Amino acid sequence: MAGGWIEQFADAPDVLKTAPDQKTIVRAGGVEVGGGEFVTMAGPCSVETERQLMETAEHVAAAGARVLRGGAFKPRSSPYAFQGLGVEGLRLLAKAREATGLAVVTEVMTAADAPLVAEYADILQIGSRSMENFALLEAAALTQRPILLKRGMVATLADLLRSAQCIVSYGNPQVILCERGIRTFETATRNTFDVSALIVLKEICCLPVIADPSHAAGRRAFVPGLARTAVAAGADGLLVEVHPHPEQAWSDGEQSLTFAEFDDMMADLAPWCELRALRSRAVETVA
Ligand code: PEP
Ligand code: MN
């Protein structure tokens, strides 16, 4: 690694690799992220109703997802938009976990909510808008639940790793990073999916890295292509929005996959995941 270049990550010493094969495996609800298996986390943007969540959980589990996503506390850009079901949403997520065996990831927005969300979730999600809310990072870390840390939409990789370092410094090394697209001048997609982030992070950082093609794309037609790119780039998993009736979704319907589209995406990813597994087995054999 070029001597000076890596210095930009000097504030994140505990998440930088000290050996090329060093990796942190994050364990949550019977699932291992970063351990070799490509882990798909899927579900609605927001938890809306019991029926919507249960149908989605059952469908994505049958199609191969390992983790159920769904927001109960929603960071909405507009004060008039649906803000989430709150505790009722958390209860529904726990019920869906019981019914399907999926682990649950859901966002925590405030430090005060961290212990409550940790009672229900297997993984606490820190959203893009909160990546540098250091009080929240501390409170989330202290719950000792694994943390899914999403890259801020205007955050550099050094900024992202600094926030990851904070969580680790608070005594919680179980951190998953998530590339979800960044703000650029491009308007054809909601955000610009930064595939370089996956390559760079997998090279220098020991933490698992997943991709969220839904919030990057903003439109469902582009989600499967970005997902395929993420697998090929070496991501450890996906976070993807799925809804039984996207046109009726209370949030992010335009980027949510239908059940049929999710099935097609999973089938399309299968050979890429197999290739990825063969490659990592080959690397392990050489090492
Ligand atoms: C989400 O995944 O629910 C979400 C709000 O995404 P982001 O924080 O990346 O905008
Ligand atoms: Mn969303």
Side-chain angles (χ1 to χ4, degrees):
M1 202 99 39
W5 175 85
I6 195 76
E7 287 305 312
Q8 65 191 295
F9 304 107
D11 287 338
D14 297 330
V15 300
L16 294 183
K17 286 183 184 178
T18 52
D21 57 352
Q22 185 191 346
K23 58 183 180 195
T24 299
I25 298 176
V26 173
R27 295 182 171 87
V31 180
E32 284 191 355
V33 186
E37 182 192 352
F38 187 81
V39 175
T40 300
M41 310 183 183
C45 177
S46 303
V47 179
E48 299 168 2
T49 65
E50 178 162 352
R51 182 163 174 199
Q52 169 244 20
L53 189 67
M54 288 298 173
E55 279 182 10
T56 309
E58 274 158 19
H59 191 92
V60 300
R66 303 294 311 280
V67 181
L68 175 65
R69 65 144 290 145
F73 294 95
K74 294 302 299 176
R76 304 309 303 284
S77 313
S78 162
Y80 306 110
F82 173 56
Q83 307 290 316
L85 294 182
V87 187
E88 180 52 21
L90 296 178
R91 288 200 193 103
L92 292 176
L93 286 163
K95 200 165 174 187
R97 169 178 48 214
E98 220 167 279
T100 59
L102 292 169
V104 163
V105 59
T106 194
E107 179 159 354
V108 54
M109 285 177 53
T110 70
D113 286 340
L116 172 74
V117 179
E119 273 179 42
Y120 293 90
D122 299 290
I123 304 172
L124 299 188
Q125 178 171 322
I126 305 285
S128 293
R129 293 159 191 80
S130 301
M131 191 202 82
E132 290 190 319
N133 179 341
F134 297 104
L136 174 60
L137 298 183
E138 178 177 10
L142 293 180
T143 67
Q144 288 302 326
R145 285 281 186 224
I147 308 290
L148 171 54
L149 179 64
K150 299 191 85 172
R151 181 184 183 183
M153 57 190 89
V154 292
T156 64
L157 296 184
D159 296 333
L160 173 64
L161 292 187
R162 248 194 306 274
S163 289
Q165 173 70 42
C166 284
I167 297 168
V168 174
S169 298
Y170 291 127
N172 187 343
Q174 293 274 286
V175 181
I176 304 163
L177 303 176
C178 180
E179 163 59 34
R180 48 77 74 201
I182 51 175
R183 281 262 161 95
T184 69
F185 53 80
E186 182 56 71
T187 54
T189 50
R190 182 175 176 182
N191 293 284
T192 297
F193 183 58
D194 182 10
V195 72
S196 326
L198 301 176
I199 306 289
V200 172
L201 292 171
K202 288 304 294 177
E203 178 76 17
I204 65 169
C205 177
C206 59
L207 301 173
V209 185
I210 69 166
D212 171 350
S214 305
H215 290 88
R219 302 191 68 79
R220 75 179 65 88
F222 307 138
V223 170
L226 295 185
R228 194 185 312 129
T229 306
V231 183
D236 295 292
L238 280 185
L239 182 72
V240 61
E241 289 183 338
V242 180
H243 195 286
H245 307 286
E247 70 291 351
Q248 294 166 19
W250 298 2
S251 60
D252 284 351
E254 297 227 312
Q255 67 195 33
S256 299
L257 299 178
T258 62
F259 290 172
E261 287 165 341
F262 182 69
D263 293 349
D264 288 349
M265 183 192 77
M266 293 299 272
D268 175 66
L269 294 182
W272 295 90
C273 291
E274 184 53 31
L275 206 59
R276 180 184 173 280
L278 284 173
R279 227 181 124 231
S280 72
R281 277 200 290 278
V283 171
E284 273 164 26
T285 313
V286 170

